[in-house]
Amino acid sequence: MFRQLCLNQNPKSWHALASYSLLVFLLFSQSWPSIMSEEKVAQGHTWQDAFEVLGISWNPDGTLNREILIPMVNATPTVTDPNNPPVALSNDVQLSPYSKAYVRLYIPVTPPATTKLPLIIYLHGGDFVLYSASTAIFHEFCNNIASQFPAVVVSVEYRHAPENRLPAAYDDALNAIFWVKNQSLGIGSRDQWLHYADFSKVFLLGSSAGANIVYHTALRTLDFDLSPLKIRGILMNQPFFGGEIRTPSEIRLIDDPYVPLYICDVLWTLALPLGANRDHEFCNPIAGGTFLGRVSRLPRVFAKANEGDPLSDRTTQLVKLLLENRVSVVYEYHQGGFHGMELQNTTAAQSLYNSMKFFVNSTGVTDDEDSHASY
């Protein structure tokens, strides 16, 4: 069951609080009439039920009042305490003087002097509605990737729904990729940290809603010449997809404590274009739509699902579509578990890091990469 979290001032508690809070789905609405709070959603719940359970309110102008405080952390561009160094270095970079768009860059504390590092473009979770590149748990996630792979990481700050409905988040991710391309060409001067990046070995990575953004953004990149960038692969950890017809895993886990389906339904109503249902391609990528014909042109894919996640069947369906289109796929389907397990379980987190690291380091080694699924 969901709980409202009250953040205390002890920094040691941030990770535990953030880990649990990222499994909490907060709800708001954009200019909804008051009657919406009484309309029924899945499992006989109302919007007002969700608001009361989660401690939600919304503003008269249709913007969201996100009441639950989530720990945010500053970037760490230098080692200020040699006795307690950060896992990796990080720095916030504004993409344009004409907007608030920014990315948070990460590099290892001691990057290699002669070897270029893979470049990971990361999209955080939050169900399109919440959180930031500076949210503590995502900051830690990127620190670990930069340190362990090792890699240069570009964590993208994107606009939230419902103030900015989809495809706004996809547009922001694509804009960040264009910025990286300009960096590779030295346009507007190259950030000193990107001198460590191998622009011919770029990967798009996301978890939950971030994995949804990664998938749709990868399809959009196929319209553009990104050279000298080379997107070698996309990594989707427990992607957030849905549909009008319930899958067996959704029916079996309809009252899941981490992602109950009635919460997901409301989130999709907030995120999708006005008037769209859950069979819109942004939510259900196998239902058709504008970009379905491009699937066969995607690069290599890593996908991971947990049996205990009600959304796991959605990942399996997408993997099947990818394989039917002869896309090279590595699929990890884990028995048990739950959505966002790695946020609470350090063993699960390390297993995910290891699998993704292997995928990144093995991709592009040969030109003949057979499609396969591992369970």
Side-chain angles (χ1 to χ4, degrees):
M1 183 174 180
F2 287 117
R3 304 176 190 172
Q4 184 170 348
L5 299 178
C6 298
L7 183 64
N8 63 35
Q9 298 302 313
N10 181 2
K12 294 182 179 179
S13 69
W14 287 3
H15 181 269
L17 286 170
S19 296
Y20 187 85
S21 68
L22 286 174
L23 301 174
V24 177
F25 288 32
L26 304 185
L27 309 177
F28 291 87
S29 91
Q30 176 183 353
S31 302
W32 292 100
S34 60
I35 192 172
M36 177 60 77
S37 65
E38 300 304 323
E39 291 185 357
K40 295 290 183 180
V41 293
Q43 300 142 263
H45 292 277
T46 67
W47 280 55
Q48 187 61 39
D49 292 337
F51 294 163
E52 291 175 356
V53 169
L54 298 174
I56 305 292
S57 63
W58 51 286
N59 299 316
D61 64 358
T63 60
L64 304 192
N65 180 21
R66 297 161 172 86
E67 295 176 347
I68 295 179
L69 298 176
I70 304 298
M72 313 282 274
V73 294
N74 294 325
T76 52
T78 61
V79 177
T80 57
D81 182 0
N83 296 319
N84 187 28
V87 174
L89 300 180
S90 55
N91 192 37
D92 292 337
V93 178
Q94 189 172 353
L95 301 190
S96 167
Y98 307 106
S99 76
K100 297 180 180 179
Y102 79 91
V103 296
R104 179 166 288 187
L105 301 183
Y106 297 80
I107 58 172
V109 173
T110 307
T114 58
T115 304
K116 297 291 187 179
L117 300 176
L119 176 63
I120 312 294
I121 298 176
Y122 174 68
L123 280 302
H124 66 78
D127 317 303
F128 308 109
V129 174
L130 296 173
Y131 310 127
S132 165
S134 62
T135 298
I137 195 71
F138 298 132
H139 178 76
E140 180 179 347
F141 187 85
C142 292
N143 272 335
N144 288 329
I145 291 172
S147 174
Q148 292 191 31
F149 278 33
V152 176
V153 179
V154 179
S155 181
V156 181
E157 181 74 355
Y158 57 86
R159 290 169 293 171
H160 289 146
E163 294 93 340
N164 300 280
R165 292 174 175 269
L166 295 175
Y170 308 154
D171 294 340
D172 293 344
L174 190 60
N175 182 54
I177 294 173
F178 290 153
W179 176 81
V180 173
K181 174 187 175 178
N182 287 341
Q183 287 286 298
S184 71
L185 295 170
I187 297 175
S189 75
R190 180 179 296 179
D191 186 282
Q192 60 179 348
W193 285 8
L194 287 179
H195 285 287
Y196 297 110
D198 183 349
F199 294 109
S200 70
K201 198 170 185 181
V202 178
F203 294 84
L204 308 183
L205 164 63
S207 294
S208 195
N212 177 301
I213 296 170
V214 160
Y215 176 75
H216 287 289
T217 303
L219 290 171
R220 280 159 173 72
T221 64
L222 300 173
D223 281 342
F224 302 97
D225 177 8
L226 296 177
S227 56
L229 295 189
K230 176 67 174 179
I231 298 178
R232 294 285 186 175
I234 64 176
L235 298 94
M236 297 184 291
N237 174 39
Q238 301 178 98
F240 185 50
F241 293 115
E244 287 294 308
I245 299 175
R246 301 296 192 201
T247 67
S249 65
E250 289 172 340
I251 294 171
R252 174 171 53 88
L253 298 167
I254 194 168
D255 293 314
D256 179 73
Y258 301 104
V259 280
L261 268 295
Y262 83 96
I263 298 288
C264 293
D265 291 351
V266 176
L267 285 165
W268 280 117
T269 302
L270 296 176
L272 289 169
L274 288 172
N277 67 22
R278 294 191 307 276
D279 279 335
H280 190 284
E281 63 185 303
F282 296 165
C283 178
N284 187 355
I286 68 171
T290 309
F291 295 95
L292 190 59
R294 308 180 189 186
V295 171
S296 62
R297 298 165 53 201
L298 285 173
R300 197 176 186 217
V301 172
F302 170 91
K304 183 244 181 181
N306 287 329
E307 178 190 29
D309 180 358
L311 307 182
S312 61
D313 283 350
R314 299 290 176 185
T315 305
T316 301
Q317 289 176 347
L318 181 58
V319 166
K320 181 180 179 181
L321 174 69
L322 294 169
L323 291 172
E324 288 173 348
N325 281 270
R326 303 186 63 80
V327 177
S328 178
V329 181
V330 175
Y331 184 27
E332 292 194 358
Y333 183 90
H334 293 260
Q335 300 298 317
F338 50 88
H339 192 85
M341 182 178 180
E342 70 280 356
L343 301 177
Q344 298 189 49
N345 185 305
T346 56
T347 300
Q350 190 58 56
S351 176
L352 177 62
Y353 294 141
N354 292 343
S355 294
M356 295 191 301
K357 177 181 177 179
F358 181 82
F359 176 84
V360 167
N361 290 337
S362 64
T363 298
V365 173
T366 67
D367 293 329
D368 182 19
E369 293 167 333
D370 295 330
S371 298
H372 65 285
S374 56
Y375 294 82

